[in-house]
């Protein structure tokens, strides 16, 4: 049956293997993580020369893959056949070839672990994928919603055995976004440079990831939250002079998320820390920020700000027929927000 990536990774760590894995979706992190775990666990290192085969979709076809899968391992318990870039597998979209896959999936070779890394969203209603579910597992790796990223970073750090401060989490999420592979790599890079007893704080993110502690989206949002005109304009000017490293589009997405949550803050009946944290889907640590911003921005003003953000996004995309530098758009937006 279809399973979540976390469940499958947990199975693999305890060396529970299925005869067939079909990994698909638009988030490569979990597809690659599961594939890597299978490469490291299914076949002992001393046996991999004879019993571990890595194929690439563009270089083979369904028949070629199945010919490997139907072989028996050489003097070993099992073999691994790993198909990378399976979305490029010759014939994978043809009904006849899908029928071949279905026939194999209904009666897989028990001593083979066959893995498809399909870096796109597949239609799980297809009969060959239903057959994969019957005797193996289908795993969909979905792009993570932005509001889930802080929890993911926290859980990842806990799994890696390192503490991370809420501000450090927010700096990473705001500046890297939902690229899970890059997020995990940056966290591991920080960990390598820490002492055993150290956690990840804002200073560590600034030092080892290269995110400025003063001039980043997190601090920009904080300046707007406090209605700190000078600081907001300083950061906007920094972004404008470094537009390649600080493009406007991601900034607008983050601000839209913040002011949308601020609108929910105004409308919420339960304004306790616990109640608002649940309503907004944020760490309770940040609830005080929304309450402060709510005092600085009445509901009517928040509605106007959301309109300004949409307007700015449209102008950035050239929908009004003009081409205006990003820095100028941002400075104008800041003026509209804080005044």
């Amino acid at each position: 049956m279809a399973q979540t990536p976390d469940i499958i990774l947990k199975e693999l760590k305890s060396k529970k293997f299925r005869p067939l894995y079909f990994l698909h979706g638009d988030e490569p992190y979990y597809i690659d993580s599961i594939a890597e775990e299978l490469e490291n666990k299914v076949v002992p290192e001393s046996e991999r020369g004879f019993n571990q085969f890595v194929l690439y979709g563009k270089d083979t076809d369904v028949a070629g893959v199945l010919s490997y899968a139907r072989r028996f391992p050489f003097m070993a318990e099992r073999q691994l056949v790993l198909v990378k870039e399976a979305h490029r597998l010759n014939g994978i979209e043809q009904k006849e070839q899908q029928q071949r896959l279905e026939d194999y999936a209904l009666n897989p070779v028990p001593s083979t672990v066959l893995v498809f890394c399909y870096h796109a969203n597949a239609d799980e209603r297809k009969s060959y994928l239903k057959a994969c579910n019957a005797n193996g597992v289908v795993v969909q790796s979905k792009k993570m919603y932005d509001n889930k990223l802080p929890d993911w970073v926290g859980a990842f750090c806990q799994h890696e055995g390192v503490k991370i401060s809420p501000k450090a989490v927010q700096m990473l999420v705001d500046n890297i976004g939902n690229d899970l592979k890059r997020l995990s790599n940056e966290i591991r890079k920080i960990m390598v440079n820490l002492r055993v007893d150290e956690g990840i704080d804002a200073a560590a993110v600034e030092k080892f990831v290269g995110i400025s502690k003063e001039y980043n989206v997190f601090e920009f949002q904080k300046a707007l939250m406090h209605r700190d005109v000078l600081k907001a304009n300083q950061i906007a000017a920094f972004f404008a002079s470094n537009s390649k490293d600080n493009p406007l589009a991601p900034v607008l997405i983050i601000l839209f998320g913040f002011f949308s949550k601020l609108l929910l803050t105004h409308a919420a009946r339960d304004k306790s820390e616990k109640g608002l944290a649940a309503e907004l889907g944020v760490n309770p640590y940040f609830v005080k920020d929304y309450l402060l911003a709510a005092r600085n921005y009445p509901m009517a003003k928040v509605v106007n700000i959301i309109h300004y953000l949409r307007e700015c996004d449209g102008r950035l995309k050239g929908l009004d027929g003009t081409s205006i530098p990003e820095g100028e758009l941002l400075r104008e937006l800041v003026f509209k927000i804080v005044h």
Side-chain angles (χ1 to χ4, degrees):
M1 60 182 292
Q3 297 281 12
T4 66
D6 288 329
I7 289 174
I8 297 304
L9 285 168
K10 191 174 181 180
E11 282 187 3
L12 297 181
K13 289 187 186 303
S14 61
K15 294 194 174 182
K16 179 183 177 182
F17 305 121
R18 316 286 187 108
L20 182 60
Y21 294 84
F22 194 96
L23 316 173
H24 74 104
D26 52 10
E27 174 49 70
Y29 174 79
Y30 283 112
I31 295 174
D32 295 342
S33 296
I34 293 171
E36 183 180 352
E37 197 71 16
L38 285 161
E39 282 191 88
N40 292 333
K41 293 284 177 63
V42 172
V43 178
E45 190 171 358
S46 60
E47 300 173 1
R48 289 173 191 168
F50 296 102
N51 295 307
Q52 185 158 299
F53 306 97
V54 178
L55 310 175
Y56 288 85
K58 63 184 177 64
D59 298 326
T60 188
D61 56 16
V62 172
V65 170
L66 296 182
S67 70
Y68 276 93
R70 289 194 171 101
R71 295 178 181 180
F72 291 98
F74 180 74
M75 299 180 66
E77 182 182 354
R78 64 176 69 88
Q79 68 166 356
L80 173 68
V81 180
L82 178 64
V83 186
K84 296 188 175 182
E85 301 176 4
H87 57 289
R88 301 177 67 183
L89 191 64
N90 293 319
I92 189 67
E93 297 300 329
Q94 296 173 10
K95 190 171 182 180
E96 178 186 346
Q97 302 306 314
Q98 290 179 358
Q99 183 62 54
R100 287 189 177 189
L101 282 176
E102 181 179 348
D103 292 341
Y104 178 84
L106 291 172
N107 188 29
V109 176
S111 57
T112 293
V113 176
L114 175 58
V115 185
F116 292 94
C117 299
Y118 191 98
H119 285 273
N121 286 307
D123 186 352
E124 293 188 13
R125 296 171 298 179
K126 296 274 188 180
S127 58
Y128 80 96
L129 285 177
K130 290 180 180 179
C132 289
N133 260 335
N135 290 306
V137 64
V138 174
V139 182
Q140 184 175 21
S141 181
K142 299 179 181 178
K143 274 289 183 189
M144 188 166 290
Y145 291 116
D146 289 345
N147 64 339
K148 300 291 184 184
L149 287 172
D151 288 341
W152 185 90
V153 170
F156 181 86
C157 289
Q158 184 178 30
H159 180 267
E160 296 292 316
V162 65
K163 292 182 178 180
I164 185 168
S165 72
K167 183 173 181 179
V169 169
Q170 204 63 42
M171 284 176 69
L172 287 168
V173 167
D174 286 347
N175 286 274
I176 296 175
N178 66 350
D179 185 338
L180 301 188
K181 191 172 186 67
R182 188 181 162 206
L183 275 171
S184 63
N185 287 341
E186 294 293 355
I187 291 168
R188 288 191 175 111
K189 183 170 74 177
I190 296 170
M191 290 173 61
V192 167
N193 290 282
L194 295 178
R195 295 194 309 268
V196 175
D197 59 338
E198 274 188 303
I200 300 174
D201 58 14
V205 174
E206 179 184 21
K207 183 176 180 181
F208 300 116
V209 182
I211 298 170
S212 170
K213 188 163 62 177
E214 290 188 46
Y215 297 105
N216 60 69
V217 179
F218 181 84
E219 292 301 322
F220 183 51
Q221 179 177 285
K222 186 177 177 181
L224 292 175
M225 179 196 314
H226 285 262
R227 226 160 177 170
D228 186 337
V229 178
L230 177 61
K231 185 70 173 179
N233 278 295
Q234 284 177 337
I235 298 175
F238 176 81
F239 285 174
S241 62
N242 298 273
S243 58
K244 186 177 179 181
D245 295 326
N246 302 278
L248 181 54
V251 175
L252 293 179
I253 292 171
I254 291 166
L255 293 183
F256 182 80
F258 174 77
F259 283 103
S260 295
K261 285 187 174 71
L262 189 54
L263 199 60
L264 288 176
T265 302
H266 278 294
R269 292 183 179 180
D270 183 358
K271 288 186 169 58
S272 67
E273 183 178 287
K274 184 177 179 181
L276 270 179
E279 177 73 25
L280 303 179
V282 300
N283 188 306
Y285 175 87
F286 293 108
V287 167
K288 64 181 185 300
D289 292 337
Y290 286 93
L291 291 173
L292 170 66
R295 291 194 293 271
N296 285 330
Y297 296 97
M299 181 181 280
K301 177 66 174 178
V302 176
V303 171
N304 286 337
I305 290 171
I306 290 173
H307 169 72
Y308 301 148
L309 289 166
R310 291 185 182 277
E311 181 183 60
C312 184
D313 182 59
R315 295 173 72 191
L316 178 64
K317 294 171 180 173
L319 298 184
D320 62 351
T322 61
S323 178
I324 303 173
E326 290 190 8
E328 187 176 329
L329 284 173
L330 182 57
R331 282 189 286 267
E332 183 181 325
L333 177 65
V334 169
F335 180 84
K336 287 180 177 179
I337 290 173
V338 296
H339 293 291

